[in-house]
Amino acid sequence: MATLNINGTTHQVDAPDDMPLLWVIRDIIGLTGTKFGCGIAQCGACTVHIDGQAARSCVLPISAIGDKKITTIEAVGETSAGKSIQKAWLDLEVMQCGYCQSGQIMSACSLLGQHPHPNDEQIDTAMAGNICRCGTYPRIRAAIKVAAKEGA
Amino acid sequence: MKITSGLMNICATIIAFSFSLNVFAISPADIKKGEYLARVGDCVSCHTAPHGKDFAGGLPMLTPVGAIYTTNITPDPETGIGKYTESDFAKALRRGVAKDGHHLYPAMPYPSYAKVSDTDIHYLYLYFKHGVKPVRQANKASEIPWPLNYRFPLAIWNAFFLDKETYKPDPDKDANWNRGAYLVQGLGHCGACHTPRGLAFQEKGLTHESGKFLSGETLEGWSATNLRDDHNTGLGRWSESDIVVYLKSGANQHSSAFGTMTPVINNSTEGMTLEDLTGMSSYLKTIKGSDDKGQKPYKYDPSATLAQFKEPAKHPGAKLYQQYCAACHSQNGQGVAPYLSPLAGNPAVMDPDPSSLINVILNGSPQLKPQGVAAPYNMPKFRHILNDTEVAQLVTFMQKGWNHNLDATDAKQVAKIRKMPPSAH
Ligand code: FES
Ligand code: FES
């Protein structure tokens, strides 16, 4: 039995220690906004926040989380960075098919949490692990800049 | 009269028959013992081709003079060892001489198997004769070029390098230690990969009495780490139970198995008894170190490395690590043991020879399957994503990082390993 704090709610889950967090949030808790892409930390689709930091939930054994706070795409809009990122995403119509986007948004929010006014280098480093098969990268970068300006 | 003599004949036949049954009855329990010993010896890992039938041979082994192929050791009479008597079998295992008299290449670890007791040879023979399914599959000729393919010099090789004694227990040590020494030196043949080899491909030491025994060696592009008590590069910081956990599950708080150690875990050590694994670890812990090849005793300190992540433009290695490695192995290098291997202080990272680090980045690692259950997190391969310079930058980042302060790696070393075929194991 593990106790996990997800989006402000405490959940008791009956799962083995080595189960990836992604399986728990999608299959046991039922929050399906977080996506499965590769399962080996190479695409970013499964990005969530652990105490505000972006993490790939597909390679995060639940035993490693302890009482840290997990935030998923379903609740990130309640943070100030999340609010401005989601607004910029809509204003610039960043999404194409959308599959990678919850991961993109989670990485972008975590970036703004650390660097409220990121330069191109910082954006590239933070977003490099999030792959988009539709090629929305230019719009992602623009939207991050818009969100940074509006959030200021 | 006739009837009586007829009856007597029948009785005699029955008696003779049951007598012969008694003499030749092969108990399933003995075959099981042999099966266990074959697992300890990990015969299957080398004597099975990728996707091939168990023990039917055909796995290429790269030696410095050319590839050789492992042979069929199933009891098929034509292509396997079905016609071997127990003494033929013992001779092949302990002396490296096949039934037809030809010498085996010492890629077959017969100098280690020379230590195996007669009783264990007997059980092994029973298993290979009666417990293994015969497979008809002809052996492949070696690719060793003329004139190196002549095998007669191997007889001379044996005269120099083969110790013909079976294991003699050390009366000053307890049974547990002696069992461990017997397994490590003998059937376990740890030295076949972990002991440096000399010019004649001989292991430079077959017991702990040699300072070279198990001090690390590079084979087929993988560096098998030092298993002596060295603080940084060996098992110095591992407790006996750390070693047992590693051999049983493939991972512990210090490191995870990868590369050519994976089949050893999957096919051999994961199925060994706790008694045997405890013996092995207690023996290994008594083998004194060889001075860490001049390194200072390692102390974990991530501060300088963590600072690099703040300025990725200035630190290309840190930038690559952040992009491709940090999600699993963490910026602080501690991973999530035992599931995602720590890199900081890991003897495989502190190894002065970076072959394994390069290899595992390029080719990933086969799936660990202790107790038949696939481990949940596997090292992916990056050979199609990262070029030689990038891999060298990454390896160097890890060699310097978390206070390791080791020598750097260059792109040429990466190019060399990239050209090698990923291990067939
Ligand atoms: S699914 Fe986790 S990074 Fe791809
Ligand atoms: S929007 Fe389609 S994968 Fe990114």
Side-chain angles (χ1 to χ4, degrees):
Chain A
M1 238 348 150
T3 307
L4 296 174
N5 181 327
I6 304 175
N7 299 335
T9 312
T10 306
H11 295 266
Q12 299 279 340
V13 290
D14 185 8
D17 279 358
D18 60 358
M19 185 180 275
L21 174 63
L22 178 61
W23 298 12
V24 174
I25 51 187
R26 285 185 58 91
D27 297 354
I28 299 183
I29 313 285
L31 293 169
T32 52
T34 308
K35 301 300 184 217
F36 175 89
C38 63
I40 50 170
Q42 298 303 308
C43 75
C46 66
T47 308
V48 299
H49 289 181
I50 305 294
D51 279 350
Q53 299 261 6
R56 308 284 184 245
S57 62
C58 68
V59 291
L60 195 62
I62 54 170
S63 63
I65 299 167
D67 53 9
K68 297 198 189 97
K69 292 193 171 58
I70 302 157
T71 310
T72 68
I73 187 69
E74 284 85 353
V76 78
E78 289 156 25
T79 65
S80 71
K83 223 179 259 140
S84 42
I85 284 284
Q86 286 187 336
K87 180 167 181 306
W89 242 248
L90 289 173
D91 289 350
L92 274 75
E93 294 184 1
V94 171
M95 275 85 85
Q96 190 69 30
C97 80
Y99 196 81
C100 71
Q101 294 293 333
S102 66
Q104 304 282 5
I105 289 173
M106 296 309 282
S107 289
C109 296
S110 163
L111 166 68
L112 287 194
Q114 282 164 43
H115 306 285
H117 300 284
N119 58 30
D120 282 356
E121 178 72 31
Q122 287 162 331
I123 295 179
D124 284 354
T125 308
M127 303 304 294
N130 287 79
I131 290 173
C132 172
R133 62 189 173 188
C134 302
T136 62
Y137 303 112
R139 296 207 292 273
I140 290 174
R141 184 189 281 211
I144 291 174
K145 290 188 169 165
V146 168
K149 209 183 270 155
E150 289 183 358
Chain B
M1 262 322 263
K2 259 199 178 152
I3 293 173
T4 335
S5 83
L7 262 180
M8 275 170 69
N9 272 342
I10 291 169
C11 285
T13 323
I14 289 174
I15 289 166
F17 184 64
S18 53
F19 182 67
S20 72
L21 260 189
N22 266 339
V23 170
F24 295 109
I26 291 140
S27 98
D30 287 352
I31 295 177
K32 272 257 164 270
K33 280 185 199 159
E35 181 180 3
Y36 178 77
L37 293 164
R39 176 181 283 262
V40 174
D42 198 12
C43 314
V44 75
S45 284
C46 289
H47 284 278
T48 306
H51 313 293
K53 297 231 168 72
D54 281 0
F55 301 117
L59 180 87
M61 302 196 94
L62 306 175
T63 76
V65 285
I68 56 180
Y69 292 89
T70 59
T71 54
N72 184 341
I73 54 167
T74 71
D76 179 61
E78 306 313 322
T79 60
I81 57 170
K83 289 185 184 149
Y84 275 52
T85 63
E86 186 166 329
S87 87
D88 295 335
F89 180 79
K91 218 163 129 199
L93 236 65
R94 296 197 290 211
R95 301 286 175 266
V97 180
K99 184 179 171 70
D100 64 8
H102 83 264
H103 282 270
L104 308 179
Y105 288 109
M108 161 77 175
Y110 61 86
S112 304
Y113 294 163
K115 302 257 182 301
V116 178
S117 71
D118 292 346
T119 330
D120 284 353
I121 292 277
H122 174 68
Y123 293 135
L124 278 165
Y125 178 70
L126 291 183
Y127 172 61
F128 279 103
K129 192 88 178 164
H130 305 285
V132 170
K133 254 177 91 188
V135 176
R136 180 143 308 193
Q137 180 180 302
N139 291 326
K140 273 199 199 167
S142 86
E143 286 163 13
I144 296 183
W146 183 88
L148 293 173
N149 58 353
Y150 278 119
R151 291 179 186 245
F152 63 82
L154 288 165
I156 304 166
W157 191 99
N158 285 353
F160 272 101
F161 303 121
L162 181 65
D163 177 0
K164 294 193 174 148
E165 293 266 318
T166 54
Y167 180 76
K168 293 272 160 308
D170 180 341
D172 296 335
K173 304 281 195 205
D174 63 14
N176 184 43
W177 185 96
N178 272 303
R179 175 73 181 160
Y182 171 70
L183 294 171
V184 168
Q185 295 173 17
L187 264 185
H189 69 283
C190 310
C193 291
H194 290 273
T195 298
R197 289 185 187 252
L199 281 177
F201 201 60
Q202 87 283 13
E203 289 166 44
K204 294 180 179 168
L206 293 164
T207 75
H208 55 275
E209 277 150 29
S210 152
K212 296 274 185 225
F213 183 57
L214 302 181
S215 64
E217 171 63 312
T218 301
L219 276 180
E220 300 192 10
W222 293 98
S223 167
T225 49
N226 176 3
L227 302 182
R228 302 174 72 95
D229 201 34
D230 295 276
H231 182 268
N232 295 358
T233 59
L235 301 179
R237 285 167 292 143
W238 295 31
S239 68
E240 283 186 26
S241 74
D242 287 339
I243 300 176
V244 172
V245 168
Y246 183 88
L247 293 172
K248 194 80 195 161
S249 68
N252 64 15
Q253 53 162 318
H254 306 281
S255 190
S256 297
F258 57 86
T260 35
M261 189 63 193
T262 318
V264 177
I265 304 274
N266 289 349
N267 298 329
S268 177
T269 59
E270 66 87 37
M272 287 174 66
T273 63
L274 280 179
E275 291 72 36
D276 282 353
L277 293 175
T278 310
M280 285 168 69
S281 61
S282 109
Y283 170 63
L284 285 172
K285 284 301 282 180
T286 60
I287 306 178
K288 288 273 161 293
S290 15
D291 222 16
D292 263 332
K293 295 158 186 159
Q295 297 176 12
K296 275 202 259 147
Y298 175 65
K299 255 189 94 152
Y300 177 65
D301 177 4
S303 48
T305 306
L306 290 176
Q308 290 188 7
F309 291 114
K310 301 228 159 70
E311 295 179 303
K314 283 198 205 136
H315 303 284
K319 186 173 171 185
L320 288 165
Y321 182 88
Q322 174 61 34
Q323 190 170 344
Y324 296 107
C325 320
C328 295
H329 298 286
S330 324
Q331 288 191 343
N332 65 18
Q334 292 184 314
V336 183
Y339 311 119
L340 298 150
S341 179
L343 300 175
N346 184 330
V349 180
M350 301 212 66
D351 189 335
D353 179 343
S355 299
S356 287
L357 262 189
I358 297 171
N359 209 330
V360 79
I361 293 172
L362 289 177
N363 297 315
S365 188
Q367 180 92 53
L368 269 171
K369 269 190 204 157
Q371 284 74 52
V373 181
Y377 307 97
N378 221 29
M379 174 75 187
K381 59 166 174 259
F382 291 89
R383 67 182 304 133
H384 305 296
I385 300 174
L386 301 171
N387 64 31
D388 294 347
T389 310
E390 290 167 326
V391 173
Q393 285 169 335
L394 256 182
V395 171
T396 302
F397 169 79
M398 295 179 224
Q399 288 173 314
K400 302 277 173 208
W402 310 294
N403 203 30
H404 289 150
N405 302 323
L406 306 170
D407 291 342
T409 291
D410 64 30
K412 278 198 219 107
Q413 287 166 283
V414 180
K416 207 173 105 202
I417 304 244
R418 190 188 287 272
K419 276 198 215 95
M420 304 181 74
S423 175
H425 271 83

